[in-house]
Amino acid sequence: QVQLVESGGGLVQPGGSQRLSCAVPRDKYIVNAMGWYRQAPGKQRVLVAEVSGNGITQYGDFVKGRFTISRQNRANTAYLTMNSLTPEDTAVYYCHAVLRWGKVERDYWGQGTQVTVSS
């Protein structure tokens, strides 16, 4: 079982910034897409940002230029920098990675990290 290692999160004031990171242990697979989803209480899990193995990024509509996802392929690590946070960004953020062994792909999730935006 592959365990994604998440860090970052916590309490931040409105208008502030947070940086999340997610690392995939190195092993005999290829790391394709990496990114984050979030889930607020009573709501569905939704895409926040994702970066493909060749660097193509995708963002949720609500991001509106406030967040940036980046990736260090050598370290199998992705970063999510979140700026101009609002209380509506409060949620559990889950790292997501797609790993490939030959022709087989599997989805893996981190344990989730709480981001709370409040004064």
Side-chain angles (χ1 to χ4, degrees):
Q1 183 72 8
V2 179
Q3 292 189 333
L4 309 185
V5 180
E6 298 177 330
S7 63
L11 176 64
V12 61
Q13 291 189 341
S17 299
Q18 275 275 355
R19 190 189 195 211
L20 307 181
S21 67
C22 176
V24 179
R26 299 186 69 83
D27 207 320
K28 297 177 183 178
Y29 43 68
I30 293 173
V31 182
N32 284 343
M34 292 185 70
W36 277 266
Y37 287 69
R38 75 183 190 186
Q39 188 166 19
K43 295 187 177 181
Q44 290 186 332
R45 190 174 297 189
V46 296
L47 172 70
V48 178
E50 191 169 80
V51 55
S52 69
N54 56 6
I56 297 173
T57 58
Q58 182 180 0
Y59 294 93
D61 291 340
F62 58 85
V63 170
K64 297 181 180 178
R66 300 179 298 136
F67 300 175
T68 302
I69 189 169
S70 60
R71 176 171 175 166
Q72 288 187 350
N73 288 331
R74 288 185 178 181
N76 280 355
T77 301
Y79 303 93
L80 180 68
T81 302
M82 304 184 289
N83 298 317
S84 302
L85 288 164
T86 73
E88 289 69 36
D89 294 312
T90 296
V92 177
Y93 285 69
Y94 295 91
C95 178
H96 170 251
V98 179
L99 308 185
R100 179 165 62 88
W101 291 260
K103 296 181 180 180
V104 177
E105 282 191 344
R106 293 178 181 166
D107 290 88
Y108 288 87
W109 295 90
Q111 77 280 5
T113 186
Q114 177 71 45
V115 173
T116 301
V117 185
S118 175
S119 56

